[in-house]
Amino acid sequence: MSAQLLAVRNQRALFVAVVIGAVALAVSLASLALLLDAAWALVIGAVYIAVLTISFVGAVLLYAAWRLLDPKRLVFLSSTRGASLDVRFKRSVMSFDNHGRLPGDSSAAALRAQVANWAGTLPHHIDVRAQNSRVADLYAKQFPELTPEAPDAFGRVQMSGQHIR
């Protein structure tokens, strides 16, 4: 959940949407307080905020459960439990997903290195696909035999060459 809150803070458009939503909520509660009783406006505001909070927490928990129960996905946690990395398999394509780390945790690099060593022990050829060019640069460092190609329409970068160790 902290990673998603950081994503809201770090993505300008999402942050602006959250701020506009908070201002709209404040304006609507103020107008309700003028039209109705102030106590009713507080009750409506509290119910609205509770529903939003429960929905947000529920969505995060459902997403985490879906990640852990997906049969084509392995979820790796660092020894400090402060970083996670998902490895997805689709046919002969292996992609790393959901690089996450808690603020202040420094175990993400070690986790990526351990997963790269593990991927090297797999007995068959694997094509690696990165989510974007920044992640592709990370993969190129960890898998020197792979080189990034041009991104597709969605920004994903296919790593050319076969990963064989």
Side-chain angles (χ1 to χ4, degrees):
M1 189 178 320
S2 66
Q4 291 185 349
L5 290 175
L6 286 174
V8 168
R9 188 184 77 192
N10 292 336
Q11 293 181 4
R12 184 179 209 107
L14 203 52
F15 180 73
V16 168
V18 169
V19 168
I20 288 172
V23 169
L25 176 64
V27 168
S28 64
L29 288 179
S31 30
L32 276 175
L34 291 174
L35 294 174
L36 303 172
D37 189 16
W40 278 106
L42 286 176
V43 167
I44 291 171
V47 167
Y48 180 74
I49 290 172
V51 167
L52 281 179
T53 302
I54 290 170
S55 300
F56 179 76
V57 169
V60 168
L61 291 175
L62 284 173
Y63 180 65
W66 173 76
R67 281 176 54 204
L68 293 172
L69 295 174
D70 186 2
K72 295 179 181 178
R73 179 187 307 255
L74 296 174
V75 179
F76 292 92
L77 293 174
S78 68
S79 60
T80 63
R81 305 285 191 258
S84 68
L85 174 65
D86 292 11
V87 178
R88 289 186 330 154
F89 293 94
K90 188 175 180 182
R91 295 186 201 105
S92 68
V93 176
M94 176 180 76
S95 62
F96 301 128
D97 237 357
N98 296 320
H99 299 263
R101 70 175 178 86
L102 296 174
D105 187 75
S106 60
S107 63
L111 176 65
R112 284 192 306 269
Q114 288 174 343
V115 171
N117 288 336
W118 166 79
T121 64
L122 296 176
H124 54 283
H125 299 286
I126 297 173
D127 294 323
V128 178
R129 183 174 296 149
Q131 291 92 339
N132 55 47
S133 57
R134 228 173 87 202
V135 174
D137 292 339
L138 246 169
Y139 293 169
K141 288 179 188 170
Q142 300 219 310
F143 302 103
E145 61 272 16
L146 299 176
T147 56
E149 295 179 358
D152 65 4
F154 297 107
R156 294 181 303 239
V157 179
Q158 179 70 35
M159 306 294 286
S160 63
Q162 295 288 323
H163 172 62
I164 306 167
R165 284 194 184 169

